[in-house]
Amino acid sequence: SAVISQKPSRDICQRGTSLTIQCQVDSQVTMMFWYRQQPGQSLTLIATANQGSEATYESGFVIDKFPISRPNLTFSTLTVSNMSPEDSSIYLCSVKWGSTDTQYFGPGTRLTVL
Amino acid sequence: DAKTTQPTSMDCAEGRAANLPCNHSTISGNEYVYWYRQIHSQGPQYIIHGLKNNETNEMASLIITEDRKSSTLILPHATLRDTAVYYCIVTGTASKLTFGTGTRLQVTL
């Protein structure tokens, strides 16, 4: 499977600030995804990020709040902007990889906003 | 994507087989059944997937009924490390994954 790393693994931030989360994959992949998992909840897809095109956001998520970059086939960033305590979540990136296009997940970034 | 229904929680004794059911009665012909698990706050781990034939890998077996309206994930010899939330997801390969609430499996001594 693809090996995915995320930085930072966790962070504690002040409200009103922004945090950029990095996702690095050890293989070139076309499709990358960003998910959010709020405390005690299941995963929710934020957006799909394909290299060379604008990210596609799911209902309830907007580019101004969660800008995404996808500069090449192995890297993506998600920024959580103007944070509030409600943004406290685990943020996960994932990729489709392999002959069966199976989706694999990174270890997640645990964000706490005070 | 078809909706799935899973029990909220299950218990299993260590060393015994864990059989996790999933109902997906509205599955369409080109949709696959995927299973993932999430061990406390880690990223979800891919387990197995199938279309209509039963599948087996080093982690688990997937049994899909002939009408494809339900499936069972089997962990043949559960260990404490298999304690996790297990998600059954039905989707086409070109589609996104939509996570439900899953089944919380507790493996006990």
Side-chain angles (χ1 to χ4, degrees):
Chain A
S1 64
V3 177
I4 305 164
S5 60
Q6 289 185 231
K7 290 183 182 179
S9 58
R10 59 177 61 229
D11 207 343
I12 301 173
C13 301
Q14 297 297 317
R15 87 170 54 220
T17 63
S18 298
L19 176 72
T20 295
I21 302 167
Q22 299 178 7
C23 179
Q24 180 77 50
V25 191
D26 69 342
S27 306
Q28 292 187 337
V29 294
T30 302
M31 299 183 77
M32 295 182 78
F33 305 86
W34 286 98
Y35 288 79
R36 180 177 73 180
Q37 187 171 29
Q38 295 176 299
Q41 304 296 311
S42 188
L43 282 77
T44 301
L45 180 64
I46 298 172
T48 302
N50 293 335
Q51 198 267 337
S53 63
E54 295 288 325
T56 303
Y57 290 82
E58 297 298 306
S59 176
F61 297 96
V62 295
I63 187 171
D64 289 346
K65 176 67 176 177
F66 297 102
I68 289 170
S69 77
R70 182 78 203 275
N72 57 52
L73 292 174
T74 63
F75 187 79
S76 178
T77 67
L78 169 77
T79 299
V80 186
S81 303
N82 188 24
M83 288 183 287
S84 67
E86 291 71 35
D87 294 319
S88 297
S89 297
I90 299 173
Y91 292 86
L92 301 120
C93 72
S94 73
V95 305
K96 281 197 173 184
W97 183 88
S99 59
T100 58
D101 257 355
T102 299
Q103 206 168 131
Y104 296 93
F105 287 80
T109 295
R110 182 183 290 275
L111 171 62
T112 301
V113 184
L114 303 177
Chain B
D1 296 337
K3 181 179 170 59
T4 61
T5 303
Q6 300 178 251
T8 303
S9 64
M10 295 181 64
D11 291 332
C12 179
E14 189 176 35
R16 304 297 293 270
N19 297 281
L20 291 89
C22 180
N23 287 321
H24 32 79
S25 58
T26 60
I27 191 170
S28 60
N30 63 346
E31 290 185 315
Y32 286 74
V33 180
Y34 285 82
W35 283 84
Y36 285 81
R37 72 180 182 184
Q38 188 174 28
I39 298 171
H40 184 61
S41 296
Q42 297 178 22
Q45 179 186 22
Y46 165 77
I47 301 173
I48 199 168
H49 75 281
L51 183 62
K52 52 183 174 181
N53 296 324
N54 297 338
E55 302 287 345
T56 295
N57 62 21
E58 65 279 3
M59 289 183 66
S61 295
L62 173 61
I63 309 298
I64 302 174
T65 58
E66 194 167 339
D67 63 7
R68 301 185 71 235
K69 293 184 177 182
S70 65
S71 60
T72 301
L73 178 74
I74 301 172
L75 308 178
H77 306 286
T79 72
L80 297 177
R81 289 181 295 179
D82 293 320
T83 293
V85 178
Y86 287 77
Y87 297 99
C88 169
I89 302 168
V90 171
T91 187
T93 56
S95 302
K96 60 192 178 187
L97 295 179
T98 301
F99 285 78
T101 53
T103 296
R104 185 172 298 275
L105 176 68
Q106 180 69 52
V107 181
T108 58
L109 291 171

